[in-house]
């Protein structure tokens, strides 16, 4: 199976250039040239089609900065999908706010807009929509809803670099969009992230939040002096991306569309093959004009639902010798979600009760966890024969459904 991450041509020389430059951080003395971080930001804003991009140390850092830059803070409610990576919940807790878990749509596995509307209260400050596995959420409904209720919409595009909705890249539909460049993601520098926005003032707040309260200067400073300005406008933390990572991302970005196209071609073939067997590939919202794949997610046919996703995943993994897993468990039930394990979240008995999750299980997220399998995108970077191998493994497991159910 293809390996991931995969270095783009020119990655080695780009890293070496930073090494030799002596300027390894955006806080290093100014040398008369733009930082690699600025060069990456310029390329990524052009790619996404937004005005501003601020790079961050991770997708987690990007989400926390975006939440705070949108004004989210102590005690506010933030709507998050029940089905996502743990960061969707931990970042909301991290800014002293309360994650309100909302059920997902059974087709896209992304936020269900009717459920979002029902969950909005006086205390709701933001909606974080995740384009789960790179399927695009219903941005028409969600952006309308956010505008109507006067709450911020933050698009978490950690898994969706390159996806488009109504012809535009995801990330530019809300107040801010966030990306992760973690090693599993479609664009990666090992660790990394970015916030994108069309709002200059919001971008300035993100700059401060990620660089200890400093931001870039209005005009270049004298050579050999620090470039970042200590404005004291907004206190921050150090969540900066290193120059090595920015240089690497700039080169990797050049391959993103080409590699996404290979995955798309293979995924479309897999849709046809698995669909023919009775499996249900994850769908994307109507209005998606460019589908990309972070994880290929597929629902089990009726004959396999009794066996359940964990058992079927193990069987397919054994056939393929490539890991196939059930989708994320609902966040509130995940073993990774445990605010009580951190002293900093014991703010008050009331806060503890508010962050304990929904009173009852959210049925669509629960059912998806029992019935949906997920395959990492690297498996889609091969050729047509690989896709037929994947389908053959799913077909063989389906033939043995009775034995798996008896296990
Ligand atoms: C990966 C991911 C994040 C967090 O990104 P990191 O770079 O790992 O901090 C946030 N949200 C989603 C949906 C992710 O998949």
């Amino acid at each position: 199976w293809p390996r991931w991450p995969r270095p783009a041509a020119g990655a080695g020389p780009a890293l070496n250039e930073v090494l030799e430059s002596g300027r390894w951080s955006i806080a290093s003395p100014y040398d008369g040239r733009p930082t690699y971080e600025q060069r990456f930001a310029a390329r990524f804003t052009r790619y996404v089609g937004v005005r501003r991009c601020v790079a961050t140390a991770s997708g987690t850092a990007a989400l926390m900065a975006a939440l705070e830059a949108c004004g989210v803070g102590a005690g506010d409610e933030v709507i998050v999908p029940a089905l996502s990576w743990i960061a969707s919940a931990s970042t909301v807790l991290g800014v002293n706010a309360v994650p309100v878990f909302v059920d997902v749509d059974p087709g896209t596995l992304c936020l269900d807009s009717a459920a979002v509307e029902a969950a909005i209260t006086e205390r709701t400050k933001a909606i974080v929509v995740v384009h789960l596995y790179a399927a695009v959420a219903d941005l028409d409904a969600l952006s309308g809803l956010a505008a109507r209720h006067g709450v911020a919409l933050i698009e978490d595009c950690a898994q969706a670099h390159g996806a488009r909705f109504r012809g535009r890249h995801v990330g530019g539909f809300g107040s801010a969009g966030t990306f992760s460049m973690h090693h599993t993601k479609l664009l990666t520098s090992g660790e990394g992230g970015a916030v994108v926005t069309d709002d200059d003032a919001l971008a300035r707040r993100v700059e401060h939040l990620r660089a200890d309260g400093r931001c870039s200067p209005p005009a270049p400073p004298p050579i050999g002096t620090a470039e970042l300005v200590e404005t004291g406008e907004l206190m921050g933390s150090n969540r900066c991306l290193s120059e090595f990572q920015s240089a690497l991302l700039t080169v990797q970005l050049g391959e993103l569309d080409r590699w996404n196209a290979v995955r798309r071609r293979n995924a479309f073939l897999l849709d046809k093959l698995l669909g023919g067997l009775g499996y249900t590939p994850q769908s994307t919202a109507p209005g998606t004009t460019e589908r990309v794949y972070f994880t290929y997610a597929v629902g089990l046919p009726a004959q396999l639902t009794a066996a359940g996703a964990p058992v079927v995943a193990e069987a397919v993994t054994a056939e393929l010798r490539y890991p196939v897993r059930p989708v994320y468990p609902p966040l509130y039930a995940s073993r990774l979600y445990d605010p009580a394990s951190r002293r900093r979240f014991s703010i008050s008995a009331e806060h503890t009760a508010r962050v304990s999750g929904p009173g009852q299980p959210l049925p669509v997220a629960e059912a998806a966890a029992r019935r949906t399998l997920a395959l990492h995108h690297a498996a889609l970077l091969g050729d047509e024969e690989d896709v037929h191998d994947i389908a053959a493994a799913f077909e063989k497991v389906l033939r043995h459904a009775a034995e798996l159910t008896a296990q």
Side-chain angles (χ1 to χ4, degrees):
W1 296 103
R3 285 178 63 183
W4 191 262
R6 174 192 278 185
L15 288 170
N16 212 48
E17 211 179 292
V18 180
L19 196 62
E20 297 299 327
S21 75
R23 202 181 183 197
W24 295 359
S25 155
I26 62 166
S28 300
Y30 181 60
D31 71 358
R33 294 174 305 173
T35 56
Y36 289 92
E37 193 222 40
Q38 287 160 347
R39 291 182 230 184
F40 169 68
R43 297 249 330 236
F44 203 57
T45 50
R46 244 178 288 134
Y47 181 80
V48 179
V50 286
R51 283 177 53 79
R52 300 292 305 274
C53 166
V54 182
T56 59
S58 66
T60 299
L63 269 171
M64 285 179 64
L67 286 162
E68 288 204 270
C70 287
V72 175
D76 293 335
E77 290 177 2
V78 177
I79 290 174
V80 300
L83 214 61
S84 183
W85 176 237
I86 185 64
S88 291
S90 64
T91 51
V92 174
L93 291 173
V95 300
N96 291 359
V98 175
V100 174
F101 301 102
V102 165
D103 214 348
V104 295
D105 174 87
T108 64
L109 305 180
C110 299
L111 271 180
D112 174 334
S113 54
V116 169
E117 180 125 51
I120 291 178
T121 72
E122 299 271 274
R123 296 171 98 167
T124 308
K125 198 80 183 214
I127 301 166
V128 179
V129 55
V130 177
H131 301 304
L132 194 77
Y133 302 140
V136 181
D138 185 354
L139 287 171
D140 285 336
L142 291 166
S143 48
L145 243 166
R148 224 166 36 249
H149 291 271
V151 302
L153 180 68
I154 297 173
E155 268 183 276
D156 180 350
C157 310
Q159 309 187 346
H161 313 67
R164 289 179 196 242
F165 188 78
R166 306 216 180 279
R168 287 161 53 204
H169 275 112
V170 298
F173 287 84
S175 304
T178 64
F179 289 85
S180 163
M181 282 65 155
H182 181 64
H183 80 111
T184 56
K185 306 291 160 79
L186 295 173
L187 173 66
T188 180
S189 49
E191 301 284 355
V195 178
V196 299
T197 181
D198 283 324
D199 179 339
D200 290 336
L202 192 150
R204 189 175 170 90
R205 291 195 291 278
V206 172
E207 276 195 69
H208 283 81
L209 288 164
R210 72 87 165 79
D212 283 327
R214 298 167 296 176
C215 73
S216 21
I223 286 178
T225 64
E227 188 172 0
L228 297 172
V229 186
E230 297 182 8
T231 69
E233 261 171 50
L234 175 62
M235 186 173 159
S237 315
N238 182 6
R239 305 272 163 74
C240 292
L241 194 66
S242 84
E243 287 291 276
F244 292 102
Q245 292 161 310
S246 292
L248 184 54
L249 285 179
T250 308
V251 177
Q252 296 293 122
L253 181 57
E255 297 287 4
L256 176 60
D257 283 344
R258 203 162 61 82
W259 292 347
N260 271 344
V262 173
R263 296 183 189 100
R264 183 181 314 118
R265 187 196 63 213
N266 286 333
F268 284 0
L269 174 58
L270 196 54
D271 280 353
K272 214 161 62 193
L273 297 174
L274 295 187
L277 295 169
Y279 289 87
T280 314
Q282 179 188 15
S283 61
T284 186
T288 306
T289 44
E290 186 99 310
R291 183 75 168 90
V292 301
Y293 292 85
F294 166 66
T295 291
Y296 186 90
V298 64
L300 298 179
Q303 305 94 296
L304 283 169
T305 49
V311 168
V312 178
E314 208 179 310
V316 181
T317 299
E319 284 305 314
L320 279 182
R321 275 167 279 130
Y322 188 87
V324 175
R325 300 198 177 88
V327 293
Y328 302 120
L331 274 176
Y332 52 81
S334 165
R335 75 162 74 90
L336 303 178
Y337 186 73
D338 187 8
S341 67
R342 291 178 66 187
R343 180 73 197 106
R344 67 184 301 178
F345 300 133
S346 355
I347 294 164
S348 65
E350 192 222 350
H351 188 77
T352 301
R354 291 177 73 204
V355 301
S356 67
Q360 54 219 9
L362 299 174
V364 183
E366 299 273 341
R370 283 195 307 271
R371 293 183 203 147
T372 318
L373 300 186
L375 180 72
H376 186 247
H377 65 83
L380 298 173
L381 278 172
D383 54 24
E384 210 175 295
E385 205 181 306
D386 290 336
V387 181
H388 283 282
D389 287 345
I390 296 170
F394 278 88
E395 192 271 334
K396 181 166 171 195
V397 167
L398 181 55
R399 256 188 290 125
H400 292 84
E403 292 146 65
L404 287 173
T405 306
Q407 258 184 28

